[in-house]
Amino acid sequence: MGIFDKLKNTAFSTVGSAVQSLGNKKETFTFSALPESLAEMQQLPEASLDSPFKTAALTVCALCAYGADKGIGTEMLNWLRGPRPLSGMDISFLNDRFRDGKTYVPFSYFAGATPDNDYTPSQPFTVTVESNSVSASEEGYMKLFISSGGADSPRPIQLRRKGDGRWFLWEQYLMSDIRTPKSADPWA
């Protein structure tokens, strides 16, 4: 291998490492209490929506609120979605996901929440949002991942950047089924 080939391979390796390190990022958010209204959510520092990670973390909070009060949760989610509010199909999907008392699902994304403790998170509420090497593969969008204490792999959430630089919820796949809480598991 000639000197040019060695330099070229080193350059590609360096560029590849730089792109990978930009893609593999974790941000952790801590909430002393979960917002119980849109006004409370808008008072949080994350409400600037200047990062897709912040919007993703607030989406978990909004889904928790939806499980407690559909009206408040809808307001929060519509605000997080910006100019694209929830459709009838989106609301029907959420209602289906929360059916049968599955309000624990969004809480499973907070640290300490596991099937063994019926998805009771540690307090303060802490959620970690991650990116990977393909997170920014589509211009203007960011696909991030959040781990659940009841699933084997992190769940995706996609955000979209508006022209003003704020990031809004585009799609979320956080409400997929997870392991049954211990108290509701007939086999436990």
Side-chain angles (χ1 to χ4, degrees):
M1 183 183 297
I3 188 77
F4 176 74
D5 291 326
K6 286 181 184 177
L7 287 173
K8 184 171 76 171
N9 287 342
T10 302
F12 283 128
S13 175
T14 303
V15 169
S17 296
V19 168
Q20 188 173 18
S21 68
L22 284 174
N24 296 325
K25 182 178 178 183
K26 283 185 182 184
E27 287 193 28
T28 300
F29 300 89
T30 302
F31 304 96
S32 57
L34 298 181
E36 295 182 8
S37 69
L38 176 57
E40 284 183 20
M41 177 176 274
Q42 291 171 330
Q43 295 302 310
L44 295 170
E46 294 81 7
S48 64
L49 306 182
D50 60 353
S51 142
F53 292 86
K54 291 178 181 179
T55 306
L58 289 178
T59 300
V60 174
C61 296
L63 289 170
C64 290
Y66 192 96
D69 184 304
K70 290 178 185 174
I72 291 171
T74 298
E75 282 184 345
M76 290 177 175
L77 288 167
N78 281 339
W79 180 73
L80 290 169
R81 289 173 60 98
R84 187 173 157 254
L86 292 168
S87 68
M89 193 167 70
D90 294 325
I91 292 169
S92 178
F93 173 80
L94 286 172
N95 290 340
D96 181 60
R97 294 286 121 183
F98 281 106
R99 192 166 292 133
D100 300 326
K102 292 187 177 182
T103 57
Y104 57 84
V105 174
F107 287 95
S108 76
Y109 294 98
F110 290 111
T114 66
D116 288 339
N117 66 11
D118 294 331
Y119 297 109
T120 303
S122 305
Q123 292 200 21
F125 298 92
T126 303
V127 62
T128 300
V129 182
E130 301 179 52
S131 63
N132 64 25
S133 59
V134 297
S135 287
S137 60
E138 192 176 349
E139 179 68 30
Y141 293 84
M142 182 69 77
K143 186 175 188 178
L144 300 175
F145 301 88
I146 307 175
S147 293
S148 162
D152 293 330
S153 57
R155 302 293 167 84
I157 179 170
Q158 188 172 30
L159 301 307
R160 183 175 181 182
R161 187 178 57 232
K162 195 172 176 204
D164 63 6
R166 291 181 298 158
W167 288 88
F168 290 94
L169 174 62
W170 189 250
E171 296 290 339
Q172 61 82 18
Y173 303 95
L174 304 178
M175 294 304 299
S176 299
D177 277 338
I178 57 174
R179 288 190 258 318
T180 305
K182 191 172 186 177
S183 68
D185 186 353
W187 297 100

